[in-house]
Amino acid sequence: MTTETVKKPADAGMMHVIDMTATPSSGPREHDMMVDGVVRTIKFVPGKPYKMPREVAVKFLKNSTAFKLTDADGNVLAWRGVPKQPDELQAGERLRLAPDETVANYNDLHDEALWLRAVSLPGGEKVTKEGSREDVIAFIIGAIAERKKLNSVNEANPDEWTPPADAEEDAA
């Protein structure tokens, strides 16, 4: 019996992202992204995919209209990411599940789904797939709670109240 060592490709853990707003007329576009607590400027060249670590690419792909997942040659690939969460809804927008979506407990999600949710959140690039499920789940819960807390107070006018949006009536 022989034992073979499986070699990972040199770009394992990397993804290619293209900025759809970088055009020949606009020229290269630069975007700042927080990576490991440091703001990094990433320069996207028109029509060329930028190779980056998966945990950074996911943050760009959250804005699916401006950024697209591609292969190394720039061919756009399908990207689903994480469905919009209740705390990300705009005023008056209702949570709607697609036919292939469901509500689930974090413990019910597979490791890749947990990782994807974690790295989509601020500071999530520190969470690795090798971390324990409990640590990843605790990070997600804590980060969402922190975001809700920050979004709950209008610092400009903490006494300001915004009325709830009109309820949308379901057609019978």
Side-chain angles (χ1 to χ4, degrees), residues 33-82:
M33 180 62 65
M34 184 75 72
V35 180
D36 291 328
V38 177
V39 176
R40 307 218 186 247
T41 301
I42 298 175
K43 186 176 183 178
F44 289 88
V45 176
K48 293 193 178 203
Y50 189 96
K51 182 176 163 182
M52 62 183 75
R54 289 175 12 138
E55 57 272 15
V56 177
V58 166
K59 293 177 183 288
F60 280 105
L61 294 170
K62 279 186 81 168
N63 179 358
S64 62
T65 57
F67 299 96
K68 300 287 183 189
L69 176 65
T70 71
D71 61 16
D73 297 322
N75 299 308
V76 175
L77 304 172
W79 173 256
R80 289 204 41 182
V82 176

Side-chain angles (χ1 to χ4, degrees), residues 12-33:
M14 303 296 276
M15 295 171 79
H16 293 87
V17 176
I18 193 166
D19 180 352
M20 303 301 284
T21 64
T23 64
S25 61
S26 73
R29 293 185 44 101
E30 293 183 353
H31 300 280
D32 291 338
M33 180 62 65

Side-chain angles (χ1 to χ4, degrees), residues 1-20:
M1 236 192 251
T2 60
T3 305
E4 290 185 34
T5 304
V6 178
K7 292 184 181 178
K8 290 185 178 181
D11 64 350
M14 303 296 276
M15 295 171 79
H16 293 87
V17 176
I18 193 166
D19 180 352
M20 303 301 284

Side-chain angles (χ1 to χ4, degrees), residues 116-148:
L116 182 60
R117 282 156 178 78
V119 299
S120 297
L121 296 166
E125 63 275 3
K126 294 176 186 170
V127 178
T128 66
K129 288 179 69 173
E130 291 79 31
S132 75
R133 288 179 58 82
E134 294 77 21
D135 290 345
V136 175
I137 291 170
F139 173 81
I140 294 168
I141 292 169
I144 290 172
E146 182 65 24
R147 183 168 57 192
K148 284 181 182 178

